């Protein structure tokens, strides 16, 4: 995933044994932007998706601004645990944040994907959330636990895992100064970020 403000995109790669990586597809995202208290820059690095940090599912509830921060009910919230990240408020510095990747409000926030909008987590479209969830793309550790007899409740009952499921999220920053043609900007007429706080 590239957190650069001029890119804001995630890429799904297939890594076949002994061969070059294959790009499966890409999708717009939103990462951390400067804002109020507890806004973080999405951290860089390689993050393991593990049962040590249990995923959960969105309840579809709205906050005080009418925002469904985790998206529609049932959307999966992928948890990558506590991470050190740069604070984007006050005097800056670093602090601990919970790094999650999740869907977002389909009406008010999903149209903004492709620009920095979040408090530090990674927002993705509902379609990508369903794709990752249904095919178990990041579920190698969850599938191991299931095979050992401790089936994690968060796995969907109709899951059809891909062979060789993965477990890593890699976040980079290309530092691009201009948006590449293959990274579309948010939809025209999308309202700017405002007081509607969400993860």
């Amino acid at each position: 995933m590239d957190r650069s403000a001029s890119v804001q995109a995630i890429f799904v790669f297939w890594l076949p044994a002994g061969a070059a990586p294959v790009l499966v597809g890409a999708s717009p995202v939103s990462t951390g932007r400067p804002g109020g208290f507890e806004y973080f820059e999405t951290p860089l690095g390689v993050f393991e998706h593990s049962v040590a940090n249990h995923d959960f599912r969105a309840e579809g509830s709205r906050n005080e601004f009418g925002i469904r921060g985790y998206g529609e009910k049932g959307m999966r919230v992928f948890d990558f645990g506590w991470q050190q990240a740069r604070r984007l408020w006050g005097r800056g510095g670093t602090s601990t944040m919970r790094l999650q990747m999740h869907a977002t409000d389909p009406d008010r926030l999903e149209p903004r994907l492709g620009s920095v909008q979040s408090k530090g987590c990674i927002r993705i479209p509902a379609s990508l959330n369903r794709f990752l969830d249904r095919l178990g793309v990041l579920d190698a550790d969850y599938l191991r636990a299931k095979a050992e007899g401790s089936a994690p409740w968060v796995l969907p009952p109709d899951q059809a895992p891909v062979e060789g499921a993965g477990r890593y999220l890699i976040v980079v920053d290309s530092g691009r100064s201009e948006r590449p043609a293959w990274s579309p900007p948010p939809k025209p007429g999308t309202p700017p970020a405002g007081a509607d706080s969400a993860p």
Side-chain angles (χ1 to χ4, degrees), residues 27 75 110 124-132:
S27 180
M75 289 287 100
E110 187 163 325
I124 60 176
S127 58
L128 178 59
N129 189 288
R130 294 186 186 100
F131 173 82
L132 298 175

Side-chain angles (χ1 to χ4, degrees), residues 10 27-30 55-61 67-80 100-113 117-119 121-133 197-199:
I10 191 168
S27 180
V29 301
S30 285
D55 291 354
F56 59 94
R57 293 196 176 272
E59 295 182 357
S61 54
I67 297 292
R68 291 173 285 179
Y70 288 129
E72 297 176 339
K73 184 175 182 178
M75 289 287 100
R76 188 164 171 186
V77 178
F78 297 88
D79 195 322
F80 295 90
Q100 298 171 337
M101 182 169 69
H102 56 79
T104 191
D105 189 279
D107 302 315
R108 295 175 62 181
L109 298 184
E110 187 163 325
R112 298 181 186 175
L113 294 177
Q117 296 288 334
S118 82
K119 296 178 70 175
C121 286
I122 301 162
R123 298 178 186 171
I124 60 176
S127 58
L128 178 59
N129 189 288
R130 294 186 186 100
F131 173 82
L132 298 175
D133 189 23
S197 176

